[in-house]
Amino acid sequence: MSRNYWEDVYQSKQVDQVSWYQQQDQKTLELIQSQNLSADAKIIDVGSGASLLIDQLIESGYKNLHVLDLSETALKTTQARLIEKSLESSQIHWLVADICTAELAPQFFDVWHDRAVFHFMVTEEQQAQYLKNVRHALKQKGLLMISAFAEDGPTQCSGLPVERYSVEKLAQRLGEDFGLIHYESSIHLTPWDTKQNFIHTMWLLKEQK
């Protein structure tokens, strides 16, 4: 994925004028909270952009947050917003990187959260690199959260092609290492009221024997 492409997106558009903008992500927050994780649980938000989920996680008491995106501009936008809201950002680890090639600590994260990143992986090579990094960086019995366009969702996002998923197709792509915990469908409304069909999933990385 091109870092320059996403830099251009975040430098040329207002945060609330991209199709994936949400004022809040209550579904994700409630799902994370339902797992009874400690406040020190290591949570990574991949492809975080300028998402307000980070604000919500801090406000909910989570203290070990890792924020990754290709766009440094997007992460600086989040940093500035947290300062403006007087939310402590020293507890956040910021990483400008491609999630397919990022060097992450082994078996480190309790939660891997991805809203609308994996569906940009349209080649087998990209998908394999992404999932190799998930298996490397996620603890055994760690949680993988992926939201992606549903099979009747858009075929493109921000001018780029995407892969659309059913739960069954995503399960096949992830492989037997992951057990499904939760899934649901939703309709996301873009800032200009276009409907986008999504699936939201949570998986458990099984212990390797």
Side-chain angles (χ1 to χ4, degrees):
M1 297 179 74
S2 169
R3 181 171 297 179
N4 289 337
Y5 181 89
W6 291 107
E7 279 293 336
D8 288 344
V9 169
Y10 282 102
Q11 289 176 7
S12 62
K13 295 184 179 181
Q14 296 295 317
V15 169
D16 60 357
Q17 290 301 309
V18 292
S19 63
W20 53 89
Y21 174 73
Q22 289 179 304
Q23 286 189 330
Q24 59 180 354
D25 191 349
Q26 200 62 33
K27 285 181 182 293
T28 296
L29 181 62
E30 290 175 357
L31 195 52
I32 290 174
Q33 290 175 326
S34 74
Q35 301 304 302
N36 297 316
L37 300 166
S38 72
D40 292 325
K42 299 180 179 71
I43 301 173
I44 184 169
D45 188 26
V46 304
S48 185
S51 169
L52 276 76
L53 177 63
I54 300 303
D55 312 44
Q56 293 176 271
L57 290 170
I58 294 173
E59 290 167 341
S60 298
Y62 294 102
K63 299 177 179 178
N64 203 334
L65 305 177
H66 299 251
V67 187
L68 182 148
D69 200 273
L70 274 169
S71 170
E72 184 176 6
T73 299
L75 297 188
K76 285 183 175 179
T77 299
T78 299
Q79 291 168 344
R81 187 180 66 241
L82 294 179
I83 292 170
E84 184 177 335
K85 294 166 76 171
S86 298
L87 292 175
E88 178 58 59
S89 60
S90 62
Q91 61 199 309
I92 300 180
H93 307 270
W94 306 93
L95 182 59
V96 179
D98 183 335
I99 192 55
C100 289
T101 57
E103 295 185 6
L104 304 173
Q107 296 188 16
F108 184 78
F109 295 108
D110 298 286
V111 179
W112 178 296
H113 175 257
D114 168 352
R115 178 177 178 264
V117 175
F118 187 61
H119 68 199
F120 281 110
M121 311 295 159
V122 294
T123 69
E124 289 186 7
E125 180 182 10
Q126 289 173 321
Q127 293 163 4
Q129 288 177 326
Y130 179 103
L131 293 176
K132 181 180 179 181
N133 235 356
V134 173
R135 292 186 178 92
H136 168 79
L138 195 60
K139 292 179 181 178
Q140 293 191 19
K141 293 191 174 181
L143 301 170
L144 170 63
M145 303 177 70
I146 291 183
S147 297
F149 284 147
E151 287 191 311
D152 55 352
T155 58
Q156 289 190 333
C157 181
S158 195
L160 297 176
V162 297
E163 185 86 14
R164 299 181 293 177
Y165 286 98
S166 64
V167 174
E168 294 77 16
K169 180 178 176 180
L170 188 53
Q172 184 177 24
R173 193 63 45 87
L174 295 178
E176 295 182 356
D177 292 345
F178 293 92
L180 182 64
I181 296 175
H182 173 88
Y183 78 91
E184 62 183 279
S185 301
S186 74
I187 297 175
H188 168 65
L189 282 179
T190 68
W192 41 93
D193 291 332
T194 301
K195 294 181 179 180
Q196 297 180 334
N197 292 333
F198 268 83
I199 61 167
H200 307 277
T201 65
M202 177 181 275
W203 312 78
L204 182 75
L205 179 58
K206 300 174 184 177
E207 283 191 285
Q208 305 303 302
K209 298 181 180 178

